[in-house]
């Protein structure tokens, strides 16, 4: 409905609404001003939308990334998005707030370092001060293959002292936070939509769509401490499948169970919802004896042990680990709740996986509950205080759990 809503999670009541010029695309980022001039501006919420409806692609007033007072919903600033070779001027990504600066990419390929608490006049509005910017549109070869589909949709992450972001031009870029100089560049060639996910040992889980490449899409584990040509640790291919304009791979991000396994008493696991129709559950640190071809038909890549492949219609969402549960939703119009059952095993047992504390486990997965709304799910679930919050294409935000 072209609005950002602040909703009371206990009651479902709408506290305020903030108007955009088009549908809201990004997950909101909430940031704190340490010394606000006005208490209403201590917390800002930043979100992005499509460029505007029915705004022309060349319109100079396109500014889809905006910040609002979390308390009141008043607009504080909006970020103009220049046109480039890319066919989009939307804002799909969420911002990363580090040391008082907001790092965010927009779909036209620009990546920004913003001071979100200093603004300057921009017509009838305010815009944030841009401290650094970098245009990430790949190579001449990428632009020839992708044409205008060079969309920067992923959110950035910080590993050590380097920012990493996946680009629709087909690259995973490592950027120096001070000035956004590219210091690492891993080229896949496919469209990369999902946000890269850091592992506990500072590697990157990167999802790959099946587009512009000869091989399958799937999940890459990269080691950014190594040169890009040596960075592939393993590749998990997913199946090809025609789904709307998509042909396979993974568009969401990888969910990991780090937060649910802080004491290292369970195997390290990852999960993705793939276009091929399945929820894929796999080991993060144990590879099988098999070898696979990579996205560009690289030979004899290691591949992780797959714990389960569960049909759920596929989708573009990111699942969520919560304790020994997984919440996942997609194109079968359902939200699924799965339980992981861990049984202690011995090294060498069929399917046994190690945990960080030195023990071995087998893992079984069973569905314990499901919810059907009125449409498919393209939003990822958020779990808080025992409840699942998720938006559906039927137009509703659902809160699921015990009352």
């Amino acid at each position: 409905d072209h609005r950002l809503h602040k909703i009371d999670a206990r009651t479902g009541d709408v506290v305020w609404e903030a108007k955009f010029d088009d549908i809201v695309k990004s997950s909101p980022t909430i940031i704190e001003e340490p010394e606000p001039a006005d208490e209403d501006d201590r917390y800002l919420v930043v979100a992005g939308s499509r460029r505007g409806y029915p705004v022309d692609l060349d319109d100079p007033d396109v500014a889809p990334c905006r910040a609002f007072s979390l308390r009141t919903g008043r607009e504080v600033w909006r970020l103009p998005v220049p046109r480039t070779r890319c066919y989009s001027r939307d804002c799909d990504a969420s911002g990363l707030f580090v040391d008082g600066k907001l790092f965010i990419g927009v779909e036209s390929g620009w990546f920004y370092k913003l001071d979100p608490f200093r603004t300057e006049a921009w017509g009838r509005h305010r815009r944030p001060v841009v401290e650094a910017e970098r245009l990430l549109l790949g190579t001449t070869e990428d632009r020839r293959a992708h044409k205008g589909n060079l969309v920067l949709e992923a959110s950035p992450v910080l590993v050590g002292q380097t920012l990493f972001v996946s680009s629709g031009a087909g690259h995973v870029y490592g950027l120096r936070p001070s000035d956004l100089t590219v210091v690492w560049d891993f080229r896949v060639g496919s469209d990369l939509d999902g946000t890269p996910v850091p592992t506990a040992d500072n590697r990157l889980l990167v999802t790959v769509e099946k587009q512009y490449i000869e091989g399958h899409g799937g999940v890459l584990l990269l080691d950014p401490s190594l040169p890009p040509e040596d960075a592939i640790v393993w590749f998990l291919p997913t199946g090809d499948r025609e789904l709307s304009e998509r042909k396979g791979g993974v568009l969401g991000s990888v969910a990991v169970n780090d937060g649910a396994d802080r004491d290292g008493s369970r195997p390290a696991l990852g999960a993705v919802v793939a276009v091929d129709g399945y929820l894929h559950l796999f080991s993060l640190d144990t590879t099988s004896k098999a070898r696979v071809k990579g996205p560009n038909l690289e030979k004899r890549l290691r591949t992780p042990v797959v714990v389960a492949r569960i049909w759920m219609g596929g989708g573009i969402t990111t699942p969520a680990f919560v304790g020994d549960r997984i919440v996942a939703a997609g194109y079968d119009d359902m939200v699924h709740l799965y339980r992981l059952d861990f049984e202690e095993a011995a090294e060498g047992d069929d399917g046994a996986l190690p945990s960080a504390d030195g023990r071995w486990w087998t893992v079984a997965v069973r569905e314990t509950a499901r919810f059907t709304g009125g449409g498919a799910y393209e939003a990822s679930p958020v779990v808080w205080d025992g409840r699942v919050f998720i938006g559906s294409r039927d137009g509703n935000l659902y809160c699921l759990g015990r009352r």
Side-chain angles (χ1 to χ4, degrees), residues 240-252:
D240 296 344
R241 179 191 181 206
E242 296 280 345
L243 184 64
S244 184
E245 75 277 10
R246 302 177 180 106
K247 300 185 183 303
V250 182
L251 282 82

Side-chain angles (χ1 to χ4, degrees), residues 70 151 174 176 187 193 197 199 204 213 228 231 234 287 362-363 373 384:
L70 180 62
V151 179
R176 188 167 59 203
R187 182 180 183 274
D193 303 281
V197 173
T199 63
L204 290 173
I213 54 175
W234 53 247
T287 56
T362 57
V363 185
W384 181 256

Side-chain angles (χ1 to χ4, degrees), residues 14 18 40 58 64 76 82 104 114 181 186 199 212 229 267 275 295 305 317 319 324 329 334 348 361 368 374 383 402:
V14 176
D40 284 348
D58 291 319
V76 176
I104 191 167
L114 307 175
T181 295
F186 180 88
T199 63
Y212 312 115
E229 60 272 17
V275 174
V305 171
T317 65
D324 59 358
M334 286 188 282
W361 306 86
T368 59
V383 183
R402 292 194 179 99

